[in-house]
Amino acid sequence: MSATTAHRVAVIGGDGIGPEVTAEALKVVRGAGVIIETTEFDLGGARYLRDGEILSDDTLSQLRAYDAILLGAVGTPEVPPGLIERGLLLRMRFELDLYVNQRPFSGTAPGSSRPHDFVVIRENTEGPYVGEGGVLRKGTPHEVATQGSVNSRMGVERACRYAFEMAMGRRQHLTLVHKTNVLTFAGDLWQRTFNAVAAEFPTVATAYNHVDAACIYFVQDPQRYDVIVTDNLFGDILTDLGGAVSGGIGLASSANLNPARTGPSMFEPVHGSAPDIVGTGKANPVAAILSAALMLDFLGETTAADRIRQACEQPVSGSTSDIGSQIAARVAG
């Protein structure tokens, strides 16, 4: 059971089904006996439409005081694509230095009889997502757009080091995924840095895959993987595919981590806000519940986190609330 000290968790239910699945995740956490104090933050597309706030400096300052952030989903059809994602999600990643995106995958791929269990470590604060680039002669036949990928030795090294440390606690195998044959500058930095860190972990076996080959292996042979480390863009794409071959995106959890703990880490399901099923009870809360388990791992509540994962492995059915209640009952027993 949890210690008597409560963990302070900021909850951003967000939009669509986000508040529904987050409520079930909190129900399960409390069912597991973990003491948490929660504060709701009204952020997302609906908030933006109401008063124009995406993430103010004052709100960001408030969030820094919490032990963790649990997020449901954000985005509404009425808000232009990218506005909330960049202004809220990416800003929190950059400002809170959430430089590791950790996404675990386990299951049996379609057409396979062999289970897989691997983790993708995605560098979370660099690459094409920093916004480097520009446009010339916009709206003319001669328009030119550029979008750069920013990679620093420090950023790459700390992501690789985190991945090696994780591999040490698993099956001691780490695969770098990139596109070094074409992206010769960024790829070279990643490969050299990966090799340098590997020298500090001689018991960890290493491999390299081009990202297109990795897409094939995710479908045909995911059992080859233990831990994968990759850049921001490739990790974004690969982890959606990882969810698809591991039971569906509705089961995929993620952690946006600040391993240095200079601020709170953020935990969220990979799926979107699914506005078409809001209020129907059709939303599967398992991804949000598993994201809450990752949060408990980071908060030191590993026993409760393991119980939650074990409870989620058993079949569940019913409405969103029914599924949450079933899992909460299992972890309480």
Side-chain angles (χ1 to χ4, degrees):
M1 302 294 285
S2 171
T4 57
T5 302
H7 302 289
R8 300 183 68 239
V9 178
V11 180
I12 304 173
D15 301 307
I17 62 170
E20 299 175 29
V21 297
T22 302
E24 301 311 309
L26 294 173
K27 180 194 297 182
V28 172
V29 167
R30 292 189 170 106
V34 179
I35 302 172
I36 55 173
E37 293 178 358
T38 60
T39 303
E40 298 279 345
F41 284 80
D42 181 13
L43 297 170
R47 172 69 185 273
Y48 172 76
L49 291 171
R50 191 166 67 250
D51 63 15
E53 172 161 349
I54 300 177
L55 179 61
S56 67
D57 291 343
D58 180 63
T59 301
L60 182 61
S61 179
Q62 293 177 50
L63 289 171
R64 291 184 189 276
Y66 287 82
D67 298 320
I69 302 168
L70 184 64
L71 184 142
V74 294
T76 61
E78 298 82 8
V79 178
L83 189 66
I84 302 300
E85 292 82 355
R86 180 163 291 280
L88 177 59
L89 299 180
L90 293 187
R91 188 178 182 207
M92 283 198 290
R93 291 176 187 173
F94 297 148
E95 294 283 350
L96 300 177
D97 204 20
L98 308 178
Y99 66 84
V100 164
N101 183 264
Q102 177 177 320
R103 297 188 179 181
F105 299 100
S106 60
T108 303
S112 175
S113 60
R114 299 166 56 212
H116 59 262
D117 174 18
F118 62 90
V119 180
V120 177
I121 302 301
R122 163 189 170 192
E123 198 292 316
N124 211 29
T125 59
E126 297 189 345
Y129 291 8
V130 301
E132 192 276 339
V135 63
L136 296 172
R137 299 186 290 273
K138 188 172 184 178
T140 75
H142 304 288
E143 182 172 341
V144 177
T146 64
Q147 193 79 60
S149 177
V150 176
N151 301 265
S152 72
R153 171 64 187 244
M154 181 197 75
V156 174
E157 181 172 340
R158 64 184 185 174
C160 288
R161 189 173 304 281
Y162 184 91
F164 272 103
E165 290 171 352
M166 171 163 283
M168 283 290 292
R170 289 174 51 91
R171 301 191 301 275
Q172 299 192 24
H173 189 278
L174 178 61
T175 303
L176 170 64
V177 172
H178 209 278
K179 190 69 174 172
T180 56
N181 59 334
V182 176
L183 303 179
T184 52
F185 300 116
D188 178 59
L189 173 59
W190 271 87
Q191 186 70 71
R192 285 186 292 107
T193 305
F194 180 87
N195 293 344
V197 179
E200 303 176 28
F201 297 86
T203 62
V204 176
T206 61
Y208 171 80
N209 290 160
H210 290 325
V211 65
D212 42 353
C215 288
I216 297 171
Y217 297 143
F218 266 42
V219 175
Q220 296 183 347
D221 186 26
Q223 298 82 11
R224 70 170 54 211
Y225 294 119
D226 178 22
V227 181
I228 294 166
V229 65
T230 189
D231 85 341
N232 208 339
L233 177 60
F234 295 149
D236 192 3
I237 296 168
L238 279 175
T239 51
D240 278 0
L241 180 57
V245 301
S246 303
I249 204 72
L251 303 178
S253 59
S254 76
N256 300 274
L257 302 177
N258 175 339
R261 300 178 187 265
T262 58
S265 293
M266 180 178 70
F267 304 84
E268 59 175 325
V270 175
H271 62 66
S273 60
D276 55 321
I277 59 171
V278 172
T280 65
K282 295 180 180 179
N284 187 341
V286 170
I289 293 168
L290 291 172
S291 297
L294 290 173
M295 179 182 74
L296 295 186
D297 281 327
F298 203 69
L299 294 174
E301 302 284 358
T302 55
T303 300
D306 287 340
R307 291 211 312 275
I308 291 172
R309 280 186 284 268
Q310 291 168 8
C312 289
E313 290 175 357
Q314 304 172 40
V316 290
S317 61
S319 68
T320 305
S321 180
D322 291 338
I323 293 172
S325 295
Q326 290 171 40
I327 296 173
R330 290 172 185 169
V331 299

